[in-house]
Structure formats: structure tokens, C-alpha cells
Amino acid sequence: MRLSRPCLILLLIVQLAACGVMKTTPVPPPAPTSQAQQVTRAQTSTLQKIGTISVNVIGSPMNVEDAIQQRAQFAGARYYLIIMMSETIIPSQWYGQAILYR
């Protein structure tokens, strides 16, 4: 099956427009504190990535956030970006991943 020329042009326009959805305007991160701080993707453009961590906890999403913050602090990170948080197939068991930044 061949697509007509207008359909191909429309498809190309939609694909190019979708590329702009993933672009974020850089925002400066907050000033460093004595505790590791969670940041957004837009705040990571000037930060240096130092690694990744993962946690597996029993509890709630807040417990995952607390565990990630503690692990980031222990690793010497000033900032962290949570990239995934999901409940496992076991009820109340949560898994999370984060990128650490200096």
C-alpha cells in the first residue's frame, strides 16, 4: 500500500512536531544544601552525572522517594532525578531508579 504525497507530508510534519515535545527549556538547579535534592529534567542540563541507583522497598511511593534520597546522600550526590517508580507484582513492594548528579 502506497501513501499519497499529502499523507506523507502530513506524517513528516507530525513526526517533526513530536520532536519538540521532548525538548525542555533549561532551568537552573536549586542552590546545594547539606541534603541531596530532587530536581526536574529541565534542571539537569548544567549538572554532572555521577551515576545511577535503584531501590526496592516495602511501603508506598513516598518510601521509595525517601530511600532514593538517602541512597543519593550516601553516594555523595547533591541532586537526583527519579526516572522510574513502579509497584512490583508483589503488593506494597515498590521499585525505583534515579540518576545522581554533582
Side-chain angles (χ1 to χ4, degrees):
M1 177 171 102
R2 288 186 56 138
L3 294 175
S4 66
R5 184 176 176 99
C7 287
L8 287 174
I9 292 172
L10 179 61
L11 182 61
L12 178 63
I13 290 170
V14 168
Q15 287 177 340
L16 291 175
C19 292
V21 171
M22 297 302 291
K23 184 176 173 151
T24 59
T25 303
V27 176
T33 64
S34 61
Q35 298 289 317
Q37 300 176 69
Q38 184 174 350
V39 292
T40 64
R41 184 173 168 266
Q43 293 173 312
T44 63
S45 64
T46 60
L47 301 176
Q48 177 187 4
K49 180 179 173 181
I50 60 171
T52 60
I53 58 169
S54 61
V55 296
N56 198 7
V57 299
I58 303 286
S60 69
M62 288 175 30
N63 298 118
V64 175
E65 291 175 359
D66 291 343
I68 287 174
Q69 200 260 345
Q70 290 172 2
R71 293 272 315 270
Q73 184 71 31
F74 182 75
R78 291 186 179 168
Y79 306 100
Y80 60 94
L81 172 65
I82 296 176
I83 55 174
M84 192 196 78
M85 189 182 329
S86 175
E87 190 171 21
T88 65
I89 60 170
I90 300 169
S92 297
Q93 184 173 3
W94 289 79
Y95 179 78
Q97 288 184 324
I99 303 172
L100 305 180
Y101 293 94
R102 186 171 297 145

